[in-house]
Amino acid sequence: MSSKVPPKILNNGVEMPQLGFGVWQVPDDEAERAVATALEAGYRSIDTAAIYGNEAGTGRAIAASGVPREDVFVTTKLWNADQGYDATLRAFDASLAQLGLDYLDLYLIHWPLPARGKYIDSYKAFEKLLADGRVRAIGVSNFLPEHVERLIAETSVIPAVNQIELHPYLQQHASRELHEEQGIATEAWSPLGQGKGLLEVPALVAIAQKHNRTPAQVVLRWHIQLGNVVIPKSVTPSRIKENIQVFDFSLDTEDLAAISALNEDRRIGPNPAVFDMD
Ligand code: NAD
């Protein structure tokens, strides 16, 4: 089975693999093993964050993999406590040092924290990092349309990516439409709805049987056909391999419609309008 992942071309021409590997809630040592397995299985994009506490293990796995640095797309995220212009520049240096890298592929503001009013200043530091060639693309995460609009109005670089919670129960139509208009790539976090529950839904099980695939592969394929970037997580080697085998089959119009019908605008994670944590 082919595991060749096509690129998503970001709005500054940088190519990001459309499917990558997420490491949230994976302790550092385990992340090292899981990232090594993912790179071995053909993943070439890794999504970590300062707050995950596994940038070091992620970096060790990349270094030991033998995969050339330029062939791996590495994303990390600015944690909430580090928002603000100067603090952002310091946090970026700390993340690069943890990762053991001399440049980053994508840096994201992890949460907008609208009540703190710092995301514009943080993003201006991102623009400096981009201009200085220390990161290849900059973007945001968990930004609601109103935050994206304000950012575009008050800064110079349109974000390349907005990484948001997105799965069949939360299809994010308003954000996806805005991103489409503005040339922002939509990246889905918890693309499998964190596994439990969603992957047993009869409509998904039926589509999986029809294509001789698993429900996880069907959900990931749905994202791919919508144009989303996805970063499924697993620490189980067989699932890590399974989740990248989604480029050698297609869902038909009827399958896509059945999955679209599952939308309930239901979040698993926090609401970005009010989420605020250090
Ligand atoms: P996910 O939707 O990727 O689900 C992961 C879980 O699904 C696994 O722990 C496992 O229980 C199950 N699973 C995975 N593959 C499976 C398979 N083939 N069959 C059956 N079950 C399977 O959830 P996630 O980890 O929350 O999200 C993915 C990544 O998104 C994270 O690792 C992280 O990198 C990113 N993320 C970002 C934010 C953010 O605020 N920006 C928040 C959450 C997650």
Side-chain angles (χ1 to χ4, degrees):
M1 278 194 286
S2 166
S3 55
K4 189 103 189 74
V5 178
K8 181 89 182 174
I9 316 272
L10 304 180
N11 59 14
N12 64 353
V14 166
E15 294 188 2
M16 175 177 193
Q18 205 187 346
L19 184 144
F21 186 65
V23 291
W24 181 43
Q25 292 178 316
V26 186
D28 196 58
D29 279 358
E30 203 176 352
E32 183 176 355
R33 284 193 295 279
V35 170
T37 305
L39 291 169
E40 178 79 13
Y43 290 76
R44 290 294 178 269
S45 168
I46 311 293
D47 181 83
T48 181
I51 194 66
Y52 299 171
N54 56 25
E55 290 174 315
T58 296
R60 286 194 302 276
I62 294 169
S65 68
V67 179
R69 167 66 186 97
E70 63 274 18
D71 292 348
V72 188
F73 190 99
V74 183
T75 302
T76 194
K77 312 184 193 87
L78 173 74
W79 184 238
N80 300 344
D82 296 318
Q83 283 219 25
Y85 190 89
D86 292 333
T88 294
L89 295 178
R90 285 194 297 271
F92 179 83
D93 287 343
S95 280
L96 267 197
Q98 286 288 312
L99 284 159
L101 299 177
D102 55 11
Y103 71 90
L104 188 68
D105 294 283
L106 177 64
Y107 201 30
L108 303 177
I109 297 181
H110 208 144
W111 290 90
L113 312 169
R116 297 195 200 185
K118 288 187 178 175
Y119 65 76
I120 298 290
D121 282 351
S122 305
Y123 196 77
K124 286 185 175 163
F126 275 35
E127 292 181 319
K128 173 169 170 52
L129 294 166
L130 183 70
D132 290 350
R134 304 195 65 208
V135 57
R136 296 173 69 223
I138 56 176
V140 295
S141 178
N142 298 304
F143 274 43
L144 297 175
E146 70 220 55
H147 310 134
V148 172
E149 277 161 355
R150 179 170 169 219
L151 194 71
I152 290 174
E154 296 184 28
T155 64
S156 331
V157 178
I158 295 185
V161 169
N162 187 9
Q163 182 185 115
I164 54 176
E165 181 181 345
L166 204 178
H167 41 73
Y169 286 148
L170 179 70
Q171 297 190 14
Q172 299 272 26
H173 293 115
S175 287
R176 292 184 49 243
E177 202 169 303
L178 173 66
H179 297 166
E180 188 73 35
E181 277 165 29
Q182 295 290 347
I184 299 168
T186 300
E187 183 174 18
W189 67 251
S190 294
L192 300 172
Q194 298 184 0
K196 5 173 214 315
L198 177 66
L199 301 180
E200 283 130 48
V201 166
L204 290 176
V205 173
I207 296 169
Q209 280 166 351
K210 169 173 152 189
H211 292 279
N212 202 16
R213 297 288 167 149
T214 66
Q217 289 174 319
V218 165
V219 172
L220 293 170
R221 183 67 208 176
W222 168 80
H223 282 286
I224 296 295
Q225 288 185 219
L226 289 187
N228 300 335
V229 175
V230 277
I231 42 168
K233 182 212 104 180
S234 175
V235 291
T236 309
S238 59
R239 286 177 171 175
I240 292 175
K241 293 183 190 116
E242 175 186 326
N243 291 346
I244 196 177
Q245 306 294 341
V246 296
F247 298 101
D248 52 359
F249 77 107
S250 289
L251 300 174
D252 60 32
T253 318
E254 196 186 326
D255 304 329
L256 295 172
I259 303 172
S260 296
L262 298 176
N263 185 42
E264 297 176 357
D265 291 331
R266 170 151 53 103
R267 289 185 188 279
I268 302 170
N271 179 349
V274 292
F275 179 74
D276 191 316
M277 188 182 95
D278 268 341

